[in-house]
Amino acid sequence: MTFTLVYLAVIVLLPLGSLFWEASSLGLGEIWRLATDARTLAALRLSFLTSFAAALFNLPFGLLVAWVLVRYDFPGRRVLDAVIDLPFALPTAVAGIALTALYSPHGWVGALFAALGIKIAFTPIGVFVALVFVGMPFIVRTVEPVLAEVDLEVEEAAATLGAGRFRAIRTVVLPVLAPALLTGFALSFARAVGEYGSVIFIAGNIPYVTEIAPLLIVIKLEEFNYAGATAVAAIMLGLSFATLLAINFIQYRTRRRFGHV
Amino acid sequence: MKSFSLGSLAFAAILSLSASMAGAVTLTNVSYDPTREFYKAYNAAFAEHWKKETGEVLEIRASHGGSGKQARAVIDGLPADVVTLALESDIDAIASKTGKIPANWRSLLPNNSAPYTSTIIFLVRKGNPKGIKDWSDLVKDDVAVITPNPKTSGGARWNYLAAWAWAYGQYGGDEAKVKDYIATLFRHVPVLDTGARGATVTFAQRELGDVLLAWENEAFLALDEFGADKFDIVVPPQSILAEPPVAVVTANTDKAGTTKEAKAYLDYLYSDEGQTLAAKYHYRPSRPEAVPAELVKAFPAIKLVSIDDPIFGGWKKVQPAHFDDGGIFDQIYRPAN
């Protein structure tokens, strides 16, 4: 217990505390002005909305991938299993450059969409694509072990009681998975909000349109405006914390409802 | 207990990584992005020169990145012996925030401590299909312009200022019209990369945009790198005189005992050899007479406006007025009410 507390304090709370300390040198009035500045708001809206959308997108598809990996055995399954983790290991800048090359109007995928009149790279859609990429493993990896624990017999029992395939999954399997899905969603979302390296290449970085909040922080640093940078960071942290708390609360509720620990 | 030993193992690994190599005297040059190739050649040349002169073996390390980011690293404690950055204001920031560089650094070396200069020119697609010749062509309807973000890139600030200087002359100093031109220009920019190299890649490899506003040396390098059959260099009649400055970080060198070497390193930039090498890497030498004539001839003649010209009044005025939070650059992006 003591060890956990000390460890948490040194590794997590100390840096975060110093962040708020640095930000507090600005004074509340200035922080409020920054927080309600149209440009900050635009950047925050972009960051949080695309992160939320990406995590939401990853929810069903991550589940699908986890499902296939757990329930089916096929040649190359282990290789595929390892591939899932690649977005974790890849330096995010490399991922960003690769994605941009692919989705820019002259890239393989980008050219296809450009023919349809849809631009992906250098628009908010590009940001979304990058965030889906970095967030995917979080859902797959949190759902996978729980899914592996689910007894096939429970599903079979549901089937013998007359439940169709879809109903069995919805009423028997999904409730068991719900906490893991929520955790994966929260992790994927949190990671996406703070993501810089992979997004910066594909975003376009136009103020008010494709400027993400982390870039705003970097810009403030370039101006040697440390207090301003940490203030934006503190605002982001506050918002993220509130979101994560909300997710944890939902998780707590679902657990109680379905009687899991 | 097991996790403990794992922890200490990780700690030991980090320690061994950060332990410095002992032996020869090392000199650290903290520089900006597009000087990579030049300083690689220059470091080898200087090390050889120094060995011949004094018998001392030097190991020179160079670190490259966005000029502002590099300055911040030095402010935060990176033990740089010399800084060779893109902007005077970046060295000023180190001087004023840490005192590690004397405030009068600009007068310590010839030519305002700028051993080489450069300017901003246009790189266009082969054959110049959009017919871009001057700054006025950049705001034509179907032209897309690639430049990095002036907030995060030193080179981009020079791009912005070069455009400003042209518009100032064009509109007879009518500031509202100049701002209007700059705002229109940046509406033609589809992507704001964070650094000069990123913008070059966007233009050359992603094939985005019709014209790249680039450092002269970076444009020539792009020709060497990506092939002269794909791009043309267009030299506008007027541009800006960019003076990337250098300085010894005396507080650091005094501590490390490398002041003598650091000074000689920067002095050698002004020597015939240093100047010739700079010219070879497409930097304009500050002493053209020291450089073989055919290298000097390679630089196109342009009317160059200095940052100390009355329309700008030096970096100390330009930086806050244009690029600081809420400055003119921020204003042009503010949505119209």
Side-chain angles (χ1 to χ4, degrees):
Chain A
M1 176 69 177
T2 328
F3 180 78
T4 309
L5 280 182
V6 171
Y7 189 78
L8 211 64
V10 172
I11 302 286
V12 181
L13 293 181
L14 202 64
L16 291 189
S18 74
L19 184 85
F20 281 102
W21 177 253
E22 180 95 21
S24 69
S25 70
L26 265 186
L28 270 180
E30 183 62 11
I31 292 179
W32 180 249
R33 194 195 63 74
L34 250 178
T36 52
D37 179 55
R39 186 153 167 202
T40 316
L41 285 178
L44 287 173
R45 192 179 313 124
L46 177 71
S47 273
F48 279 87
L49 279 184
T50 49
S51 299
F52 194 81
L56 212 58
F57 180 87
N58 272 331
L59 213 49
F61 290 99
L63 174 61
L64 196 70
V65 171
W67 189 279
V68 169
L69 283 178
V70 169
R71 288 294 171 87
Y72 299 90
D73 204 359
F74 52 91
R77 188 176 69 99
R78 279 179 191 286
V79 179
L80 195 68
D81 203 35
V83 167
I84 302 289
D85 285 331
L86 277 184
F88 277 146
L90 207 61
T92 49
V94 176
I97 291 169
L99 286 171
T100 313
L102 209 56
Y103 287 100
S104 81
H106 295 278
W108 288 356
V109 183
L112 291 179
F113 281 92
L116 299 172
I118 302 170
K119 275 176 70 180
I120 296 184
F122 317 120
T123 69
I125 306 176
V127 178
F128 169 78
V129 169
L131 294 181
V132 166
F133 177 81
V134 295
M136 221 267 284
F138 288 95
I139 308 246
V140 178
R141 284 295 179 243
T142 44
V143 171
E144 222 181 342
V146 182
L147 194 59
E149 292 287 306
V150 176
D151 264 328
L152 270 177
E153 286 161 23
V154 185
E155 275 171 70
E156 282 158 7
T160 54
L161 290 173
R165 183 78 183 129
F166 181 71
R167 183 147 179 241
I169 290 175
R170 194 170 58 86
T171 55
V172 177
V173 184
L174 272 189
V176 182
L177 289 181
L181 278 171
L182 274 172
T183 307
F185 178 84
L187 285 174
S188 164
F189 171 77
R191 166 68 193 267
V193 166
E195 180 63 20
Y196 179 76
S198 63
V199 181
I200 213 66
F201 293 95
I202 203 168
N205 310 330
I206 304 289
Y208 297 99
V209 185
T210 49
E211 187 176 64
I212 55 169
L215 175 64
L216 208 59
I217 295 175
V218 172
I219 286 177
K220 299 222 178 290
L221 285 177
E222 299 287 338
E223 291 165 355
F224 306 105
N225 180 1
Y226 288 62
T230 46
V232 177
I235 295 166
M236 277 186 77
L237 260 182
L239 282 174
S240 300
F241 192 63
T243 318
L244 292 178
L245 265 187
I247 292 173
N248 271 346
F249 181 69
I250 299 174
Q251 205 165 22
Y252 170 76
R253 289 267 306 267
T254 48
R255 274 189 190 169
R256 280 227 319 211
R257 208 166 106 211
F258 295 110
H260 293 286
V261 198
Chain B
M1 206 48 219
K2 191 171 181 195
S3 70
F4 235 137
S5 62
L6 258 180
S8 51
L9 199 71
F11 197 62
I14 290 166
L15 270 187
S16 65
L17 269 178
S18 55
S20 66
M21 284 181 284
V25 179
T26 53
L27 213 54
T28 305
N29 175 7
V30 172
S31 191
Y32 63 108
D33 225 0
T35 56
R36 232 169 274 265
E37 291 76 14
F38 166 60
Y39 274 111
K40 202 173 162 202
Y42 178 78
N43 289 346
F46 178 72
E48 196 178 314
H49 162 79
W50 190 250
K51 195 177 171 202
K52 223 185 290 170
E53 201 95 312
T54 65
E56 188 176 51
V57 178
L58 271 185
E59 191 195 325
I60 304 168
R61 293 180 193 160
S63 146
H64 298 272
S67 188
K69 190 165 55 176
Q70 294 288 79
R72 216 169 52 244
V74 176
I75 291 173
D76 290 343
L78 180 74
D81 295 295
V82 299
V83 285
T84 55
L85 296 175
L87 301 173
E88 196 189 313
S89 56
D90 287 329
I91 299 189
D92 274 339
I94 301 174
S96 66
K97 290 202 188 268
T98 67
K100 286 181 178 171
I101 296 173
N104 65 340
W105 62 271
R106 219 176 159 218
S107 60
L108 296 179
L109 286 164
N111 196 37
N112 297 329
S113 288
Y116 41 78
T117 65
S118 193
T119 188
I120 300 300
I121 58 173
F122 304 158
L123 194 67
V124 298
R125 311 259 167 230
K126 190 73 194 171
N128 197 1
K130 297 276 169 88
I132 294 158
K133 295 206 168 57
D134 201 351
W135 296 94
S136 55
D137 298 323
L138 300 183
V139 292
K140 279 194 201 156
D141 280 346
D142 59 340
V143 172
V145 181
I146 303 294
T147 168
N149 190 339
K151 295 287 234 179
T152 52
S153 155
R157 276 177 223 177
W158 291 115
N159 292 348
Y160 168 102
L161 292 172
W164 183 280
W166 174 83
Y168 195 89
Q170 184 73 13
Y171 300 117
D174 182 339
E175 187 142 322
K177 282 187 178 156
V178 178
K179 274 187 195 168
D180 204 42
Y181 167 79
I182 295 283
T184 315
L185 173 62
F186 275 90
R187 267 201 297 279
H188 286 254
V189 179
V191 189
L192 281 174
D193 282 288
T194 50
R197 270 292 147 87
T200 306
V201 169
T202 297
F203 181 76
Q205 289 188 326
R206 309 264 174 279
E207 297 175 39
L208 240 77
D210 303 299
V211 52
L212 172 73
L213 308 186
W215 285 106
E216 185 174 47
N217 61 300
E218 187 82 350
F220 278 107
L221 198 77
L223 280 195
D224 298 345
E225 193 85 357
F226 300 107
D229 54 332
K230 288 174 76 180
F231 307 106
D232 281 332
I233 284 178
V234 171
V235 180
Q238 180 196 311
S239 189
I240 192 122
L241 175 68
E243 297 180 306
V246 302
V248 175
V249 189
T250 39
N252 288 346
T253 58
D254 284 348
K255 209 158 62 181
T258 50
T259 309
K260 187 177 56 163
E261 289 85 351
K263 281 210 167 106
Y265 179 80
L266 293 187
D267 284 338
Y268 194 63
L269 282 169
Y270 292 89
S271 72
D272 292 2
E273 293 79 10
Q275 292 282 299
T276 305
L277 213 50
K280 268 190 192 149
Y281 285 89
H282 312 295
Y283 283 95
R284 295 178 176 233
S286 65
R287 291 176 50 235
E289 67 278 7
V291 176
E294 75 270 14
L295 279 177
V296 178
K297 254 187 279 167
F299 293 104
I302 317 181
K303 183 185 163 218
L304 296 176
V305 179
S306 161
I307 192 77
D308 294 317
D309 189 278
I311 71 165
F312 293 125
W315 270 112
K316 286 201 171 61
K317 273 177 78 179
V318 165
Q319 179 66 31
H322 290 267
F323 304 119
D324 276 2
D325 202 15
I328 294 172
F329 181 72
D330 281 344
Q331 290 165 24
I332 64 170
Y333 269 109
R334 206 162 282 162
N337 296 319

